Amino acid sequence: DGGITQSPKYLFRKEGQNVTLSCEQNLNHDAMYWYRQDPGQGLRLIYYSQIVNDFQKGDIAEGYSVSREKKESFPLTVTSAQKNPTAFYLCASRVQGISNQPQHFGDGTRLSIL
Amino acid sequence: AQSVSQHNHHVILSEAASLELGCNYSYGGTVNLFWYVQYPGQHLQLLLKYFSGDPLVKGIKGFEAEFIKSKFSFNLRKPSVQWSDTAEYFCAVNGGATNKLIFGTGTLLAVQP
């Protein structure tokens, strides 16, 4: 079955550490997205990529970095510069260039600070 | 800039009650509108979408939504809710040439048996 796989499901980080969240999709989608979900704030866009080797900042990119070396993969690094990293992180993908196509979501990674 | 407002943050209903969740957006051009649902412990799933044609769209599990262009609204409705509808519901809009989806803050629905 096609889908989006996020790993790990739970992640713990010490202060000052960088951590990388994995997102892999086998839907052959060009566009991929990272969101952060906090209670009462909905989903906020961190970064997105519409094609391999290219990505754009979303609304809350500070303290995060991404790469898009392969179509299937869009890892997110939460750096030590992110002051409040505890959140639920969601990865999504969709068909590029057709705006009425919905985004498909992974199961998410819950990041906590120790 | 595009934005989405969901005015109901928490809704508590009894089974068989009717449901209407409000969603308003700000964007003057052509929009694509979506409702997503997140059941406890599960990933976000598409409930329904509107991009053109009949402004009353039907989705899964008996949900429907009506696009009212003059009111910039896309309210979600269900005539009779069930306990299994307990979830968080997100309205989202994608307008113009952008591929970005803007989400509302979500509405947490609790249905009491």
Side-chain angles (χ1 to χ4, degrees):
Chain A
D1 283 341
I4 299 176
T5 302
Q6 289 188 242
S7 61
K9 192 168 183 176
Y10 298 96
L11 188 57
F12 298 92
R13 189 191 97 168
K14 292 182 180 177
E15 295 275 358
Q17 273 186 339
N18 292 354
V19 288
T20 298
L21 283 59
S22 169
C23 178
E24 304 278 331
Q25 54 99 0
N26 60 4
L27 299 166
N28 200 33
H29 288 167
D30 284 303
M32 296 186 74
Y33 305 79
W34 274 105
Y35 294 91
R36 172 181 170 139
Q37 185 178 10
D38 296 282
Q41 297 193 55
L43 278 73
R44 293 180 291 167
L45 183 64
I46 304 172
Y47 268 98
Y48 64 106
S49 167
Q50 297 182 68
I51 197 167
V52 174
N53 293 322
D54 186 47
F55 47 82
Q56 289 80 40
K57 292 182 178 180
D59 301 317
I60 54 165
E62 186 175 348
Y64 299 98
S65 66
V66 292
S67 63
R68 188 82 188 279
E69 297 176 3
K70 298 187 300 181
K71 185 176 184 178
E72 304 79 22
S73 178
F74 191 41
L76 172 75
T77 297
V78 184
T79 75
S80 56
Q82 170 49 240
K83 297 306 176 191
N84 185 23
T86 296
F88 189 53
Y89 291 87
L90 287 166
C91 179
S93 71
R94 67 188 288 270
V95 174
Q96 170 64 10
I98 305 175
S99 60
N100 61 43
Q101 290 299 304
Q103 293 186 7
H104 299 258
F105 286 84
D107 287 340
T109 293
R110 190 166 296 280
L111 175 63
S112 300
I113 298 301
L114 293 178
Chain B
Q2 299 174 37
S3 67
V4 179
S5 297
Q6 290 182 244
H7 307 295
N8 316 103
H9 298 295
H10 287 93
V11 173
I12 302 173
L13 294 173
S14 298
E15 277 194 312
S18 64
L19 170 71
E20 181 160 2
L21 301 182
C23 173
N24 289 91
Y25 65 92
S26 65
Y27 184 73
T30 303
V31 291
N32 301 298
L33 297 155
F34 305 84
W35 274 98
Y36 282 87
V37 60
Q38 188 174 32
Y39 297 104
Q42 296 188 27
H43 61 269
L44 268 107
Q45 303 172 39
L46 181 69
L47 208 48
L48 47 78
K49 67 177 182 179
Y50 170 82
F51 57 93
S52 67
D54 189 344
L56 184 64
V57 291
K58 296 193 183 296
I60 60 172
K61 303 186 182 185
F63 286 90
E64 64 179 32
E66 185 174 12
F67 170 54
I68 303 179
K69 190 174 181 180
S70 60
K71 294 185 178 180
F72 297 90
S73 70
F74 190 55
N75 292 355
L76 181 71
R77 300 194 293 246
K78 185 170 183 178
S80 176
V81 294
Q82 301 172 312
W83 177 78
S84 58
D85 293 323
T86 295
E88 192 160 15
Y89 293 82
F90 294 93
C91 181
V93 63
N94 169 305
T98 178
N99 280 296
K100 290 165 58 174
L101 203 56
I102 308 298
F103 283 86
T105 53
T107 297
L108 204 54
L109 171 66
V111 180
Q112 297 174 329

